[in-house]
Amino acid sequence: MAFPETRLRRFRRTPALRRLVRETRLAADHFVLPLFVRPGQGVAIPVGSMPGVFQQSVDRLVETCREAHGEGILAVLLFGLPEQKDAIGSSSWSDDGIVQRACRALKAALPDLVLIADVCFCEYTDHGHCGVLKGETVDNDATLVNLAKQSVSLAQAGADVIAPSDMMDGRVGAIRAALDGAGLADTPILSYAVKLASGFYGPFREAAESAPAFGDRRGYQMDPANGREAMREAELDVQEGADMLMVKPALPYLDILASLRRRYDLPLAAYQVSGEYAMLKAAAERGWIDHDRVMMETLIAIRRAGADLICTYSAVDAARLLAKGWTE
Ligand code: PBG
């Protein structure tokens, strides 16, 4: 049956008809809020390129999480700015590390909030690369040993989910073995399986003070041109025991997300990264786009492509809109 018998506009006529046939929906349950924790007391330093985002001390972080949880956000993703950095990022596996302290405080204050701990070294090394250096490259296998230590330390401090973002080969297997060996067999791994070497991370590096001191991350993060290689990355992580896979950034890589959705039954996450957020805020500030409408459109697009969870700095804004009855 074709036109004129078939007219797709019939179900677009009114808001109620559109809602009846809507295929994808948003809920606060799907959002994960990324947060930056730093030392101090009563500290909240705004991140210039990310309006509404702050580096916060643990006490302020707890209040931010309380508020987000009250808006229906179930999970947060934690990044740390340590008091000191060194060549190997050893403060990341200190029992007294900044994210470890944050996890303990959050578990005590908000026991139901799901704590996802980012596992990587770029915030903890004095050179800003994601592992141990050998010359000017990151030594994959030496870094695995440290990733395992960081993961165990964070899980022991109360992290509910371990989320490695470093892009070393073999890390999921190394982390799984270490967690199991430490009696943490119930702690899941959310692998940033498909993480591209992206210009969209620019504002994050200001937020996390993690820009590399030389070179870039193309030696370990994926080439944005490669979709088939993304499937190989995912397959290896699944074989190594990943419990959930993530694609990052989100909007430029929806094709990869959709391919993963078709191939795997694992839960999938997508990370709407700092640059995606900054572009939205900057264009909206100039009055060039409608902030709320574009924010919700990007989130629904990421869900439609196949994400179960979306890590987004807009989590609370979007949850508030939904609570007010937003329908696209
Ligand atoms: C690495 C890490 C990065 C992001 C999350 N984890 C930055 C990078 O690879 O340089 C970026 C997130 C964002 O841009 O919002 N620890």
Side-chain angles (χ1 to χ4, degrees), residues 125-139:
T125 52
D126 49 21
H127 46 74
H129 279 287
C130 300
V132 180
L133 290 184
K134 188 159 70 184
E136 296 228 322
T137 59
V138 176
D139 183 336

Side-chain angles (χ1 to χ4, degrees), residues 12-28:
R12 295 180 198 153
R13 197 169 52 79
T14 69
L17 285 170
R18 292 196 292 273
R19 282 179 69 173
L20 274 180
V21 298
R22 184 157 294 141
E23 298 173 24
T24 311
R25 287 191 166 73
L26 288 176

Side-chain angles (χ1 to χ4, degrees), residues 63-328:
E63 292 321 306
T64 299
C65 288
R66 198 187 302 286
E67 206 180 313
H69 202 39
E71 300 288 349
I73 302 299
L74 302 177
V76 295
L77 172 60
L78 299 173
F79 295 95
L81 292 93
E83 26 280 277
Q84 70 235 9
K85 304 191 184 209
D86 61 21
I88 56 172
S90 61
S91 59
S92 68
W93 64 80
S94 155
D95 190 41
D96 195 33
I98 183 69
V99 177
Q100 284 83 349
R101 267 146 45 210
C103 284
R104 278 190 220 99
L106 286 169
K107 271 290 150 216
L110 301 162
D112 294 335
L113 183 69
V114 175
L115 307 181
I116 308 177
D118 182 84
V119 168
C120 191
F121 297 105
C122 58
E123 300 115 75
Y124 302 93
T125 52
D126 49 21
H127 46 74
H129 279 287
C130 300
V132 180
L133 290 184
K134 188 159 70 184
E136 296 228 322
T137 59
V138 176
D139 183 336
N140 190 89
D141 299 11
T143 301
L144 294 182
V145 178
N146 295 347
L147 285 166
K149 286 193 258 187
Q150 188 184 349
S151 299
V152 169
S153 170
L154 289 166
Q156 283 171 343
D160 297 294
V161 179
I162 294 298
S165 68
D166 52 284
M167 290 302 280
M168 298 303 121
D169 287 321
R171 72 199 199 276
V172 173
I175 292 170
R176 185 71 272 158
L179 290 172
D180 292 358
L184 295 160
D186 289 335
T187 302
I189 299 176
L190 192 187
S191 173
Y192 289 65
V194 182
K195 179 172 176 182
L196 293 299
S198 174
F200 284 93
Y201 305 149
F204 173 93
R205 293 179 187 170
E206 178 198 342
E209 297 176 8
S210 65
F214 63 87
D216 55 40
R217 305 208 202 290
R218 289 186 171 90
Y220 37 105
Q221 298 180 349
M222 268 193 60
D223 184 338
N226 294 356
R228 292 189 298 271
E229 187 189 347
M231 304 311 279
R232 297 183 70 201
E233 276 288 359
E235 182 57 29
L236 289 168
D237 285 7
V238 170
Q239 283 171 11
E240 289 172 33
D243 299 284
M244 191 186 303
L245 303 176
M246 178 130 81
V247 176
K248 171 185 174 187
L251 212 54
Y253 301 100
L254 294 187
D255 58 327
I256 292 175
L257 185 59
S259 299
L260 289 177
R261 179 74 294 162
R262 284 190 292 271
R263 191 173 303 178
Y264 296 107
D265 293 327
L266 277 75
L268 295 180
Y271 197 144
Q272 183 171 57
V273 300
S274 58
E276 296 178 75
Y277 179 82
M279 289 198 310
L280 167 67
K281 291 289 175 187
E285 261 175 29
R286 285 163 178 74
W288 291 350
I289 59 171
D290 175 335
H291 176 272
D292 291 352
R293 186 170 174 190
V294 173
M295 172 177 75
M296 297 308 255
E297 187 176 331
T298 60
L299 295 171
I300 204 97
I302 295 165
R303 290 270 302 149
R304 190 198 62 237
D308 298 295
L309 298 183
I310 307 174
C311 300
T312 173
Y313 302 96
S314 298
V316 175
D317 287 350
R320 285 200 178 115
L321 275 186
L322 290 169
K324 280 195 283 178
W326 172 278
T327 50
E328 305 88 81

